[in-house]
Amino acid sequence: MFRGHLVEQKLAWKGLTLALAILACQLTLILVVSAVWVHLRGIPAGYASLYGGGVYLIPQFLFSLFTLSRKLGPGSAGWVLWDFCVGAGIKLVSTVALFVTVLLYVEVEHLPLYVTYSLSLFFQWVITIVLNNRY
């Protein structure tokens, strides 16, 4: 029993470490892309790029927080699936809400916003594949 508990804790810690590493890599990517936009097109483009990165990063953080908040135990596979489905719904709704908020209430350049969001989304897959083989 004690050994199984340690294995569960190790798996939970591994998932948390992977999630935090992905979020840290994404934040670094967003800051670098925003700096490039500032260099190429000025400060308003940099702010728009930061907004695009925020529209990606905030829902991703909420998803990670929700899916990793449950303590795992024997027979919890159904709850893990439930958490991922609800977490995906939270991510979708919060992404739409953030896009609507940014596009309606903030005057931003659209190209840096969408490019940074798209790059963040693309590199989520790349970073996950690379880090999932490491951790």
Side-chain angles (χ1 to χ4, degrees):
M1 170 106 176
F2 183 69
R3 183 175 180 193
H5 182 66
L6 287 177
V7 170
E8 290 168 8
Q9 283 182 340
K10 185 177 179 183
L11 288 174
W13 186 252
K14 184 177 177 181
L16 179 64
T17 304
L18 179 62
L20 291 176
I22 290 171
L23 288 172
C25 289
Q26 289 298 109
L27 180 60
T28 304
L29 172 75
I30 290 166
L31 293 175
V32 168
V33 170
S34 296
V36 169
W37 278 109
V38 167
H39 179 70
L40 293 177
R41 302 220 1 221
I43 291 177
Y47 280 129
S49 179
L50 285 175
Y51 282 127
V55 167
Y56 166 79
L57 198 62
I58 292 169
Q60 184 65 30
F61 176 74
L62 293 174
F63 173 80
S64 298
L65 188 68
F66 186 80
T67 56
L68 295 173
S69 64
R70 184 181 303 274
K71 277 191 141 187
L72 297 177
S76 62
W79 286 112
V80 171
L81 180 61
W82 172 259
D83 286 346
F84 270 88
C85 290
V86 172
I90 290 171
K91 186 175 176 180
L92 178 65
V93 168
S94 60
T95 300
V96 170
L98 285 171
F99 263 124
V100 167
T101 303
V102 167
L103 293 175
L104 286 180
Y105 299 111
V106 181
E107 207 170 299
V108 295
E109 294 184 33
H110 292 244
L111 183 64
L113 176 90
Y114 292 130
V115 166
T116 304
Y117 178 80
S118 300
L119 280 173
S120 298
L121 191 60
F122 172 73
F123 276 100
Q124 171 194 353
W125 301 323
V126 173
I127 292 169
T128 301
I129 291 169
V130 170
L131 289 181
N132 206 14
N133 289 330
R134 182 172 180 202
Y135 287 101

